[in-house]
Amino acid sequence: MAERAVKLPDVGEGIAEAELVEWHVKVGDIVREDAVLGAVMTDKATVEIPSPAEGRVIWLAGHVGDVLAIGSDFVRLEVEGKAEPPAVMKTTKTIAQPAAATPLQPAVAEPPAEQTKPLASPAVRLRAREAGLDLRQIQGTGPAGRITHADLDAHPAHSSVGAAATTYLTKTGVEDIKIAGLRRRIAEKMSIANSRIPHITYVEEIDVTALEDLRGKLNGQQRPGKSKLTLLPFLMRAMVRAIAQQPMLNAHFDDESGIVHRHDGVHIGIATQTQNGLVVPVVRHAESRDIWSCATEVARLAEAARTGSASRDELSGSTITITSLGAMGGLATTPIINHPEVAIIGVNRIAVRPHWDGAAFVPRQMMNLSSSFDHRVIDGFDAAQFVQRIKTQLETPAMIFIDA
């Protein structure tokens, strides 16, 4: 009898070490040639290490979780005949996660026929486990009796679990999509805004119960030819009134020249999703419009943006922007400023929530505003004050109709 060392092979791509993730054998086991000894994992794949010869396991390199060096002894076998040079074996790769590890412990040698753990790759084990198949009941047709995917397909129980099993088949395709046109321009503008503007995001909860009640009544009395009122026209008018007290929010910041261009006219951009991507049509001179005029112009511009008929002038020149996902608005967002503007107001979805009125919890229609500001020119206090001014008007909507 002679001792033979099985080395941890080079798994490729310049990797110097690998993590031991699974033992298929234990000390004392009799193994056949090509039987899987264990598996290691790199950042790319799980790699199975087969036995180069038939023999008895007399030593294992370590425990699951240990990091082993490439070229170090992995397993030592007691084999028939004279001692041979350490064996460096070829490997098999799979991207599946390894199955649960076998504890490292001594055992009494058993003949190959009584080996209790079936030979199968981690991918096959995962598929069998998800399909509820017992690998001990399946005859393997691969090398050294290894169970393959074909063996699972041929098993009598496959017809009843095949659909579930094939649900988890590995997909390896990669589709290359060229970013061009509007999508490329959006990507460039977002990159500029996110890299050059230090954002501060302020989230505030607003009770819009009274506003929704008023909106419903106004829409119920709607005259022919007038657009339906959404929340946006009320928000736009509230923003106009808040800007009158804080004009620095209605501005562009030219960071290259260090100049803030503060605008008298309030030109509100409405971020709008289209089939080709995000565009921002602009409601010009919102300061001169009532809620009905705002509603009509928002509806017209949104339709033009979605049909692709909006002109360049209608898609540029905003001084402050609103972004809203409607019913999909989530609880809170972190909107990215429409460069070179200094503020963006994000509208989140309206939901009924319990609200403490000082005596009891009552159901109220609540909505969050998630707003971002350019922290280079807008301080946190000023940002919070601006949102609070909007909040006050939306919670007491009669204020929106009072001339400042």
Side-chain angles (χ1 to χ4, degrees), residues 292-319:
W292 296 106
S293 175
C294 286
T296 299
E297 186 67 353
V298 167
R300 184 190 72 81
L301 289 170
E303 180 63 20
R306 293 190 182 100
T307 59
S309 61
S311 67
R312 179 178 294 272
D313 287 342
E314 290 173 328
L315 297 176
S316 61
S318 58
T319 55

Side-chain angles (χ1 to χ4, degrees), residues 127 130-131 153 158 161-171:
R127 181 181 169 194
E130 290 171 341
D153 293 337
H158 175 70
V161 299
T166 55
T167 299
Y168 301 97
L169 292 179
T170 299
K171 295 182 179 180

Side-chain angles (χ1 to χ4, degrees), residues 234-290:
F234 295 93
L235 175 59
M236 293 167 70
R237 287 301 307 165
M239 289 169 59
V240 166
R241 290 171 56 85
I243 286 170
Q245 296 176 284
Q246 291 179 261
M248 195 68 167
L249 275 297
N250 190 52
H252 289 174
F253 179 35
D254 184 347
D255 50 7
E256 293 184 354
S257 63
I259 297 175
V260 173
H261 302 284
R262 198 170 72 186
H263 294 265
D264 292 333
V266 181
H267 310 307
I268 301 179
I270 309 293
T272 304
Q273 189 65 42
T274 70
Q275 290 184 345
N276 295 322
L278 187 68
V279 296
V280 185
V282 181
V283 176
R284 298 191 181 277
H285 292 290
E287 77 279 2
S288 65
R289 298 177 182 271
D290 60 16

Side-chain angles (χ1 to χ4, degrees), residues 54-394:
E54 183 175 326
R56 185 172 68 89
V57 178
I58 59 175
W59 180 87
L60 298 177
H63 299 272
V64 170
D66 289 351
V67 176
L68 308 178
I70 300 300
S72 64
D73 286 0
F74 185 68
V75 172
R76 293 175 190 160
L77 301 174
E78 186 179 64
V79 298
E80 295 285 348
K82 298 180 180 180
E84 299 182 22
V88 178
M89 297 302 299
K90 62 183 180 180
T91 61
T92 302
K93 288 188 178 181
T94 174
I95 63 172
Q97 293 296 317
T102 303
L104 177 62
Q105 58 184 11
V108 178
E110 295 179 341
E114 293 176 10
Q115 189 168 342
T116 59
K117 186 164 186 178
L119 297 177
S121 70
V124 171
R125 292 182 188 280
L126 176 64
R127 181 181 169 194
R129 187 162 56 248
E130 290 171 341
L133 297 177
D134 185 351
L135 290 179
R136 293 173 297 181
Q137 305 301 318
I138 299 176
Q139 180 66 44
T141 59
R146 182 180 302 179
I147 299 171
T148 65
H149 286 287
D151 295 327
L152 296 184
D153 293 337
H155 192 269
H158 175 70
S159 59
S160 62
V161 299
T166 55
T167 299
Y168 301 97
L169 292 179
T170 299
K171 295 182 179 180
T172 59
V174 177
E175 181 181 4
D176 295 328
I177 301 174
K178 180 70 173 178
I179 300 300
L182 176 60
R183 186 77 262 168
R184 180 172 60 81
R185 291 195 293 273
I186 293 172
E188 291 172 349
K189 191 159 188 178
M190 289 295 181
S191 296
I192 291 172
N194 200 43
S195 63
R196 293 172 64 171
I197 301 176
H199 286 58
I200 174 175
T201 299
Y202 182 87
V203 181
E204 178 60 284
E205 186 178 50
I206 298 176
D207 185 343
V208 294
T209 306
L211 175 60
E212 285 297 280
D213 182 61
L214 174 62
R215 189 172 69 85
K217 291 178 179 178
L218 291 175
N219 280 329
Q221 301 172 2
Q222 179 182 4
R223 297 196 301 271
K226 289 208 170 186
S227 298
K228 181 180 178 181
L229 290 173
T230 65
L231 181 137
L232 290 185
F234 295 93
L235 175 59
M236 293 167 70
R237 287 301 307 165
M239 289 169 59
V240 166
R241 290 171 56 85
I243 286 170
Q245 296 176 284
Q246 291 179 261
M248 195 68 167
L249 275 297
N250 190 52
H252 289 174
F253 179 35
D254 184 347
D255 50 7
E256 293 184 354
S257 63
I259 297 175
V260 173
H261 302 284
R262 198 170 72 186
H263 294 265
D264 292 333
V266 181
H267 310 307
I268 301 179
I270 309 293
T272 304
Q273 189 65 42
T274 70
Q275 290 184 345
N276 295 322
L278 187 68
V279 296
V280 185
V282 181
V283 176
R284 298 191 181 277
H285 292 290
E287 77 279 2
S288 65
R289 298 177 182 271
D290 60 16
I291 59 169
W292 296 106
S293 175
C294 286
T296 299
E297 186 67 353
V298 167
R300 184 190 72 81
L301 289 170
E303 180 63 20
R306 293 190 182 100
T307 59
S309 61
S311 67
R312 179 178 294 272
D313 287 342
E314 290 173 328
L315 297 176
S316 61
S318 58
T319 55
I320 190 169
T321 296
I322 295 174
T323 178
S324 171
L325 292 175
M328 296 174 58
L331 290 176
T333 51
T334 55
I336 296 177
I337 295 170
N338 186 19
H339 180 270
E341 297 167 21
V342 300
I344 184 169
I345 308 301
V347 180
N348 299 119
R349 69 168 177 259
I350 298 174
V352 176
R353 303 173 196 162
H355 179 74
W356 181 255
D357 67 357
F361 283 103
V362 294
R364 304 291 289 179
Q365 295 190 71
M366 308 299 292
M367 176 191 77
N368 288 349
L369 282 186
S370 300
S371 307
S372 294
F373 304 87
D374 187 336
H375 214 346
R376 296 172 298 179
V377 293
I378 305 298
D379 293 332
F381 177 84
D382 294 324
Q385 189 176 53
F386 183 71
V387 174
Q388 290 301 321
R389 284 189 164 117
I390 294 174
K391 171 185 171 77
T392 298
Q393 296 177 76
L394 295 182

Side-chain angles (χ1 to χ4, degrees), residues 4-6 32-35 37 49-54 77 86-89:
R4 184 173 184 182
V6 180
R32 292 170 287 179
E33 184 176 354
D34 290 329
L37 300 172
I49 312 299
S51 175
E54 183 175 326
L77 301 174
V88 178
M89 297 302 299

